[in-house]
Amino acid sequence: MKKDEVLVNEMDSFLNDDDHFHLWWLGQSGFLLQWKGIRVLIDPYLSDSLTKKYLTTDKPHTRMSELVVKPELLKNISVVTSSHNHTDHLDAETLMPILKNNPDIKFIIPEANRDFVAERVKCKKDFPIGLNDSRSVTIDAFTFHCIRAKHNEIERDENGNCKYMGYVIEFGKYKIYHSGDTLWFDGLVDTVNPFKVDVAVLPINGNKQERKVAGNLDCKEAAELGKAIGAGCVIPCHYDMFTFNTADVNDFAKEAEKIDQPYLILKGGGHFSL
């Protein structure tokens, strides 16, 4: 829809909007959330690092969609998150310029991943804010409630800290659930349902063993999870990035319509406001 300077100009045009929150899809599971001039960057992957890494392997990561925005163009970011250590959620080529250009930024990660994160993005080990499931932190009027995730298992370190997480982000009267990468598991609905989220951002690429990567909800499961947690709207993600690991978003739309689950399909650089 929009990219690079044109996209950033659109974001800037809403900085003084106190009546709505704004959400832009940056590709894969990456989103920029903006409310009252405060920006939260969720799990950005804004490079071709995986395409380069796997170019000559039996698992090529062939890009399907254009890069939405160069990471060095993103300024005035208050918080950036990583839900887990996979590169499309923790990318050094994305995060290093963002951390450099936003000196006051806060970086939220699963506590279990602290050493790995510090090594990958070359930051001080005590810089990230490490969280675990059932814990919360408030930064600049945004409260991040941590939700465990299953990708493909619910993994914990020796101290019981989750390695895969999602976040319910609460600000003002709004709540957004970004699941990170996850499958459906017992207890997920009961954990998220009390938040009564306005928007659920859920992956739809599915879980196929032949891909040789950890999987996610599929189109039907994402629609049904949105319904089960009472989400006001589901925005699908984690598709149309790599040819070997994607799904047809039209299948998600059909599944959501079958059960009357409201949804919105964004294109790269596309914008949602409420």
Side-chain angles (χ1 to χ4, degrees):
M1 294 296 290
K2 291 182 174 67
K3 63 181 291 187
D4 289 333
E5 288 85 355
V6 175
L7 175 59
V8 172
N9 288 339
E10 180 180 75
M11 294 171 176
D12 288 346
S13 72
F14 293 111
L15 280 172
N16 295 320
D17 180 6
D18 290 337
D19 298 322
H20 309 83
F21 76 76
H22 302 269
L23 195 66
W24 287 268
W25 187 34
L26 306 182
Q28 198 69 334
S29 297
F31 287 80
L32 189 139
L33 169 63
Q34 183 170 289
W35 180 66
K36 293 190 174 183
I38 306 170
R39 289 174 173 170
V40 174
L41 188 56
I42 307 167
D43 278 32
Y45 173 72
L46 300 172
S47 80
D48 286 318
S49 62
L50 285 169
T51 301
K52 291 181 286 188
K53 178 180 178 179
Y54 289 101
L55 183 62
T56 59
T57 72
D58 62 353
K59 194 168 59 179
H61 284 50
T62 305
R63 181 183 271 276
M64 298 175 64
S65 52
E66 289 184 78
L67 178 66
V68 171
V69 62
K70 299 180 185 69
E72 56 267 25
L73 295 177
L74 296 177
K75 306 287 182 65
N76 303 312
I77 307 296
S78 293
V79 183
V80 63
T81 72
S82 167
S83 62
H84 62 284
N85 284 345
H86 293 159
T87 303
D88 55 336
H89 300 258
L90 180 74
D91 178 40
E93 290 187 24
T94 297
L95 290 167
M96 290 173 72
I98 287 171
L99 297 180
K100 178 181 177 181
N101 291 337
N102 295 273
D104 297 323
I105 197 170
K106 303 295 189 297
F107 186 17
I108 294 177
I109 65 167
E111 175 59 34
N113 302 340
R114 180 177 297 278
D115 290 349
F116 186 95
V117 169
E119 173 61 27
R120 174 166 286 184
V121 305
K122 310 303 179 189
C123 68
K124 293 181 178 179
K125 193 178 293 188
D126 62 354
F127 169 64
I129 298 170
L131 296 177
N132 193 21
D133 59 326
S134 302
R135 287 190 57 198
S136 303
V137 64
T138 299
I139 303 169
D140 291 342
F142 288 80
T143 299
F144 297 80
H145 305 277
C146 297
I147 310 294
R148 68 191 188 278
K150 182 178 180 180
H151 187 51
N152 274 5
E153 300 297 334
I154 298 175
E155 292 188 36
R156 297 181 184 271
D157 67 9
E158 62 276 11
N159 296 315
N161 296 309
C162 279
K163 296 183 178 182
Y164 305 103
M165 292 199 312
Y167 304 99
V168 171
I169 307 173
E170 183 176 4
F171 52 101
K173 62 181 181 179
Y174 305 112
K175 299 182 185 73
I176 292 175
Y177 172 47
H178 187 288
S179 70
D181 281 359
T182 194
L183 301 172
W184 197 315
F185 59 89
D186 290 343
L188 178 58
V189 172
D190 289 341
T191 301
V192 179
N193 191 55
F195 289 101
K196 305 301 179 188
V197 297
D198 300 283
V199 177
V201 178
L202 303 175
I204 64 166
N205 59 301
N207 182 31
K208 297 182 179 180
Q209 291 185 350
E210 61 268 25
R211 294 174 177 169
K212 301 177 183 179
V213 294
N216 280 317
L217 303 167
D218 61 23
C219 293
K220 185 174 187 291
E221 291 167 333
E224 291 179 347
L225 180 59
K227 191 75 171 182
I229 63 175
C233 178
V234 173
I235 297 179
C237 68
H238 213 298
Y239 66 94
D240 282 2
M241 176 60 75
F242 303 118
T243 54
F244 86 104
N245 190 11
T246 188
D248 186 342
V249 73
N250 295 305
D251 292 339
F252 164 78
K254 292 174 184 175
E255 296 294 343
E257 289 166 4
K258 285 180 187 177
I259 58 175
D260 296 320
Q261 170 58 49
Y263 68 92
L264 177 68
I265 294 172
L266 295 176
K267 294 183 179 180
H271 171 220
F272 168 85
S273 66
L274 184 66

